[in-house]
Amino acid sequence: MSAGRVAKIAAGTVLGVGAVGAGCLAYAAGYEVRSFRLRRLQVPVLPPDAVPIRILHLSDLHLTPGQRKKQEWVNRLAGLEPDLVIDTGDNLAHVDAVEPTVRALGRLLDRPGVYVWGSNDYFGPTFKNPLRYLTQPRRTAKPSDNTLPWQDLGRAFKQSGWLDLTHTRATIEVHGVRIGFRGTDDAHLGADRYAEVAGPIDRNEVDVAIAVTHAPYLRLLDAMTADGHDLIIAGHTHGGQVCVPFYGALVTNCDIDAARVKGLSTHRVGDRSAFLHVSAGLGTSPYAPIRFACPPEATLLTLVPRDAE
């Protein structure tokens, strides 16, 4: 084969790969990042004969004022009429996003709710080399000077009756079932202090025990499971955000394994186990507005009796 022929084949291959890459990027940034999905799952953690309890899990909105489609989609979730809302943080991505976030949540704020904060509630997004996400997937976030008005959002949540679970215990009764909650601040910032709420679950006080945190670091999952929690709820990972079809996530942005980067799984410590739900979340950093093979999502978790398993 002549050198000219080889050069033409090589050039065609490069152009073909480039075209495929450009097409994938256009899909990821132009369609999938706004292709919101509602995941529905059942979790068998209730006492026998208990009435099912529906929990809407929201995470990682990373909202900016101009994201109207996301705001409208979240607003429509109120039509599900969940019994309870759990928000696992990273709501904000802009200094002016508090009012749009409150409007997006709309009637969901009339439902009972609990929440914890993520690093991107406290600090606004900054440009980072996207390759760092792949090469340093477990790095701990650092505080920045680009602070966000998370206290204003917290006031709106509290005025609506939602409970801040940051290093706090709380109990909410739903359909006669006592749900005990424990929460922490964001482990990705190294701000988690689970020891402040740790201790064995008292089944005389609660019927179901749920732990809530933003980032599912193993140190928290281990401690929460060892204490006897039935369910642990987290976000942060974006489901990997950019995944390989038929393979899954390449990174998790924490130390959890990629197989459990999103969805419902089990975490085991010794002879104890807990269900773990990690949301792939609804947003991305404004500086990396793409998703591939990992659509943005909210989850309706229906708690059912343990004997339904």
Side-chain angles (χ1 to χ4, degrees), residues 279-300:
S279 173
L282 284 161
T284 69
S285 166
Y287 294 102
I290 60 171
R291 279 181 178 258
F292 191 79
C294 186
E297 67 176 31
T299 308
L300 188 65

Side-chain angles (χ1 to χ4, degrees), residues 218-228 232 260 266-274:
L218 292 177
R219 62 179 180 268
L220 286 176
L221 303 185
D222 288 349
M224 291 167 169
T225 300
D227 275 348
I232 304 170
R260 298 185 293 163
T266 302
H267 189 75
R268 291 183 172 84
V269 175
D271 61 351
R272 298 214 167 179
S273 65

Side-chain angles (χ1 to χ4, degrees), residues 65 68 71 74-75 96 98-107 109:
R68 299 298 178 85
Q71 295 171 41
V74 171
N75 191 263
D96 295 324
V98 171
E99 288 188 11
T101 300
V102 172
R103 287 198 302 271
L105 292 169
R107 291 189 296 113
L109 291 170

